[in-house]
Amino acid sequence: MCGIIGCAGRGDSTLDTLLHGLSKLEYRGYDSAGVALSDDDLTVRRKAGKLDALETSLGADPLQNGSGSVSDNPVGIGHTRWSTHGPPTDGNAHPHRDCTGRVAVIHNGIIENYQELRDELAASGHEFESDTDTEVVPHLIETALDSGMAPEEAVRDSIDRLEGAYAICVVIAGVDQVFAARNDSPLVLGVSDDAYFFASDVPAFREFTDKVIYLDDGEFAVINQNGYRVTDSNGAVVEKTVNTIEWDPEETGKSGYDHYMLKEIHEQPRALRQCLQGRVDELAGEVILEELGDVNPDAVQFVACGTSYHAALYGAQLFRSIGIPAQAYIASEYATSVPPIDDDLVIGVTQSGETADTLSALREARRRGAKTMAVTNVVGSTAARECDEALYIRAGPEIGVAATKTFASQLVTLALLSLWIDGEEDNRDVIAGFRDLASNVQAILDDTNARKIAEEYHDSDAYFFIGRGLHHPVALEGALKFKEISYEHAEGFPAGELKHGPLALVTDNTPVFAVVTGEGEQARKTIGNVKEVEARDAPVIAVTDGQSDVERYADHVLEIPESTPRTAAVLANVQLQLVSYYAAAQLGRPIDKPRNLAKSVTVE
Ligand code: F6R
């Protein structure tokens, strides 16, 4: 989704600051980029394609404004665009300007009444150059300025006319301020001693400050080189809390790995230790979740999307296993047919805390009187702030578009949550099962044969993933990861479901990854399903802890250490992440930024 950066007070480093910020927002997914610098005059450069294209253009033809070179202390805004209205062309890239070229606007979100506004503006003589919804905003501001309003009033007045989701930044020639507003799209304000920033996400300015203000919906903010001011929708000043970010800027670098995804897969032992730290008391057989208040639900509904939905499926199974009815819903479907809520707790599982579908489902649940909880990675995210309770998965920043370490941390957090709510003393063994989790993940990372398997099968017709019980979400996640970064067809199924249709697709050129751990009934039944595909000559890759005899029917084995059912799901998933990564690498895919995808999906 689009990325926004704005800054004031960065002097002659303003352009570099914007480009650095955009590079840190690349992970969100985008297909064009642009910047604007504003002093007495306004100058804009926009380019379709990746940031390199914009940088090359700026290198070959430095920014100049009407009066020649840009001053040594402009304010600036920068944007990475993920297309919604109109294709990714130079002309559709942000910033967009008004007819006079003195107002520049960047925007994340969707302006729902843009057609109506555009018709009205066109009728009064405004000329539009792009297909975007955003372009109405500078023209509205132009009209307001022409009517005699002061710059801030003109921006406020124009934003008041917008319906839909937006995070917006505006600069105006001759005005040393950057204006910003948010409604349903993420926007944060960075505060340092001598400079101020707006951004969609903290990594954009983390290099320059660890102080951040989380803006709320309906708020309007202004920065210049001397400070900031936040006001509510009526213009009254709002005193905001300045938060301190706890992670270092280096955490958003690649640390020598070829891709963020591989780095983040390898960060899992640390992420899991962080997730568990201070939360389990093995001796007492207790889980401690200090951040939570009184949570004692009769039943639980999960809402989530994509990878987080798979974690929610796992969470729902764990809640059912302790006798609490629980169901996981795909968030975008939940909003259209909300089940009865009664005294249910509605839990939004969302890495970013900004996924529009999940936020909308949580809001619907709240409207109907439910207590809500966000299980999220991002402190201060919209989900964390809007829900009654927030439980953090503590995975650290995740930059690769494909969720990896955050899935592992979501599984563990949900397992802890179910045990905490259960509160039974005889959970001591289960709790002890987390002790070796991080080192078991490390053992897999140190000794995996995933690369060899990926190389052998990277050119197959399709890939299937099967598992039962807690391994069903793992199979779904294995397939999602595989398809999103390799662009190969992959599907995950509950193991028993294969024979009810999908088996027709199984051939000697469709590898089947089967997750089988333990030696109980579930393992035995999954082995039965493995035999079904083996009989159709499909290559079988068993992800197993060696407790059953699945190896006899498998062409290859991806080993995981013996563990408990809850943690086996985390371990098996690590092997599947690695297979996806190496298959995509073999195929030369842009692993961290798969085509058409965005890290944080802020539109419904
Ligand atoms: C896939 C992936 C997505 C996200 C989904 C929800 O690798 O990352 O499927 O899981 O877009 O995002 P969050 O968890 O931020 O709500």
Side-chain angles (χ1 to χ4, degrees):
M1 295 284 119
C2 305
I4 281 179
I5 169 93
C7 67
R10 292 289 300 154
D12 57 9
S13 305
T14 301
L15 179 59
D16 288 346
T17 304
L18 296 176
L19 292 171
H20 170 82
L22 293 181
S23 75
K24 292 291 179 184
L25 294 171
E26 279 191 291
Y27 75 92
R28 295 170 69 85
Y30 71 107
D31 39 40
S32 57
V35 287
L37 295 180
S38 173
D39 43 27
D40 288 342
D41 215 332
L42 181 73
T43 175
V44 172
R45 182 69 49 80
R46 312 175 293 172
K47 278 281 157 208
K50 295 297 177 200
L51 215 45
D52 297 354
L54 177 66
E55 283 169 338
T56 306
S57 159
L58 289 165
D61 178 16
L63 282 180
Q64 286 194 330
N65 58 25
S67 47
S69 59
V70 179
S71 77
D72 60 6
N73 197 14
V75 292
I77 54 178
H79 189 264
T80 46
R81 172 173 186 255
W82 188 81
S83 309
T84 54
H85 296 71
T89 58
D90 289 358
N92 283 333
H94 300 207
H96 288 287
R97 278 164 294 188
D98 64 326
C99 298
T100 65
R102 72 191 143 144
V103 180
V105 174
I106 54 176
H107 161 226
N108 175 17
I110 292 181
I111 297 169
E112 278 157 17
N113 60 337
Y114 89 97
Q115 192 59 56
E116 191 185 313
L117 293 170
R118 189 168 165 133
D119 292 346
E120 175 193 313
L121 288 158
S124 59
H126 288 265
E127 285 181 12
F128 289 87
E129 291 177 347
S130 78
D131 309 316
T132 67
D133 51 341
T134 307
E135 202 185 353
V136 296
V137 185
H139 290 275
L140 285 172
I141 297 171
E142 176 192 356
T143 308
L145 289 170
D146 286 348
S147 75
M149 286 186 200
E152 182 170 334
E153 191 191 359
V155 177
R156 265 182 182 286
D157 190 74
S158 305
I159 286 173
D160 277 352
R161 297 208 53 199
L162 307 179
E163 287 165 20
Y166 52 79
I168 283 178
C169 279
V170 180
V171 288
I172 302 174
V175 177
D176 69 347
Q177 294 165 314
V178 185
F179 305 97
R182 76 159 272 176
N183 188 49
D184 279 354
S185 278
L187 190 65
V188 290
L189 197 165
V191 178
S192 78
D193 292 340
D194 52 4
Y196 299 87
F197 308 85
F198 289 119
S200 313
D201 200 358
V202 177
F205 55 68
R206 176 64 190 88
E207 181 111 351
F208 310 109
T209 181
D210 62 354
K211 299 283 182 281
V212 62
I213 291 172
Y214 300 107
L215 295 173
D216 285 306
D217 282 345
E219 287 179 342
F220 183 90
V222 189
I223 56 173
N224 69 9
Q225 62 174 332
N226 301 313
Y228 68 88
R229 178 164 37 87
V230 181
T231 47
D232 66 13
S233 52
N234 300 317
V237 171
V238 185
E239 291 304 329
K240 301 288 291 182
T241 308
V242 180
N243 302 272
T244 303
I245 299 299
E246 283 175 11
W247 44 269
D248 297 328
E250 300 79 66
E251 283 190 54
T252 61
K254 276 197 248 175
S255 309
Y257 286 94
D258 287 344
H259 297 96
Y260 282 111
M261 181 179 177
L262 190 59
K263 175 188 171 228
E264 286 157 4
I265 289 173
H266 281 261
E267 279 174 349
Q268 287 178 112
R270 188 172 70 172
L272 292 169
R273 283 192 191 99
Q274 281 169 191
C275 178
L276 288 162
Q277 197 171 16
R279 287 175 162 174
V280 284
D281 180 340
E282 260 188 63
L283 279 180
E286 241 188 304
V287 171
I288 305 142
L289 297 176
E290 276 173 346
E291 57 263 69
L292 298 184
D294 182 25
V295 183
N296 199 5
D298 291 341
V300 173
Q301 295 174 10
F302 288 93
V303 291
C305 308
T307 292
S308 295
Y309 171 68
H310 300 151
L313 287 170
Y314 166 96
Q317 280 194 47
L318 292 184
F319 273 84
R320 290 197 293 269
S321 75
I322 57 165
I324 297 181
Q327 194 68 41
Y329 296 89
I330 290 181
S332 54
E333 292 298 311
Y334 183 86
T336 52
S337 58
V338 186
I341 285 178
D342 303 322
D343 285 332
D344 289 15
L345 171 69
V346 178
I347 302 180
V349 185
T350 166
Q351 185 282 128
S352 61
E354 302 293 350
T355 300
D357 289 326
T358 308
L359 292 176
S360 143
L362 286 166
R363 286 172 188 154
E364 186 58 37
R366 236 182 352 269
R367 265 194 294 279
R368 295 180 187 231
K371 178 163 181 158
T372 55
M373 179 187 293
V375 173
T376 183
N377 194 31
V378 181
V379 176
S381 57
T382 304
R385 285 177 299 132
E386 289 189 1
C387 286
D388 301 303
E389 304 281 347
L391 181 59
Y392 292 108
I393 65 169
R394 303 180 182 168
E398 186 175 72
I399 307 295
V401 163
T404 51
K405 63 175 178 174
T406 55
F407 179 65
S409 300
Q410 285 172 337
L411 297 187
V412 171
T413 308
L414 292 172
L416 293 178
L417 179 63
S418 66
L419 292 166
W420 181 75
I421 288 179
D422 189 27
E424 289 294 329
E425 276 180 23
D426 62 7
N427 282 330
R428 194 166 279 132
D429 287 350
V430 181
I431 290 172
F434 292 110
R435 186 195 314 141
D436 298 328
L437 180 59
S439 55
N440 282 342
V441 170
Q442 191 61 57
I444 294 172
L445 296 171
D446 292 344
D447 196 28
T448 180
N449 52 337
R451 182 182 204 142
K452 202 169 144 284
I453 290 171
E455 282 170 6
E456 179 161 347
Y457 293 112
H458 76 274
D459 197 18
S460 304
D461 291 342
Y463 302 80
F464 300 118
F465 296 76
I466 59 171
R468 262 166 207 269
L470 291 175
H471 294 328
H472 168 218
V474 175
L476 296 182
E477 176 58 11
L480 177 63
K481 213 83 319 173
F482 201 95
K483 72 180 87 160
E484 73 173 319
I485 59 165
S486 75
Y487 308 164
E488 297 294 308
H489 183 77
E491 279 190 79
F493 302 100
E497 194 61 15
L498 211 55
K499 59 185 176 297
H500 296 291
L503 199 55
L505 298 171
V506 169
T507 70
D508 61 0
N509 202 18
T510 59
V512 177
F513 292 83
V515 186
V516 187
T517 63
E519 51 180 350
E521 200 189 340
Q522 286 200 354
R524 275 200 304 282
K525 285 188 174 169
T526 307
I527 292 170
N529 305 126
V530 164
K531 288 181 193 161
E532 288 158 14
V533 297
E534 192 214 8
R536 272 90 190 163
D537 295 328
V540 173
I541 300 103
V543 186
T544 181
D545 55 5
Q547 289 193 65
S548 67
D549 66 348
V550 66
E551 299 191 24
R552 286 179 54 193
Y553 312 101
D555 298 271
H556 300 277
V557 168
L558 286 162
E559 264 181 65
I560 63 170
E562 259 186 57
S563 62
T564 61
R566 284 172 175 75
T567 50
V570 179
L571 299 175
N573 182 61
V574 174
Q575 287 285 28
L576 295 181
Q577 290 170 345
L578 289 162
V579 171
S580 297
Y581 174 82
Y582 287 117
Q586 188 74 22
L587 292 162
R589 306 297 189 220
I591 292 178
D592 285 330
K593 294 170 219 148
R595 70 181 172 209
N596 307 336
L597 298 183
K599 180 71 180 160
S600 185
V601 186
T602 52
V603 292
E604 281 183 64

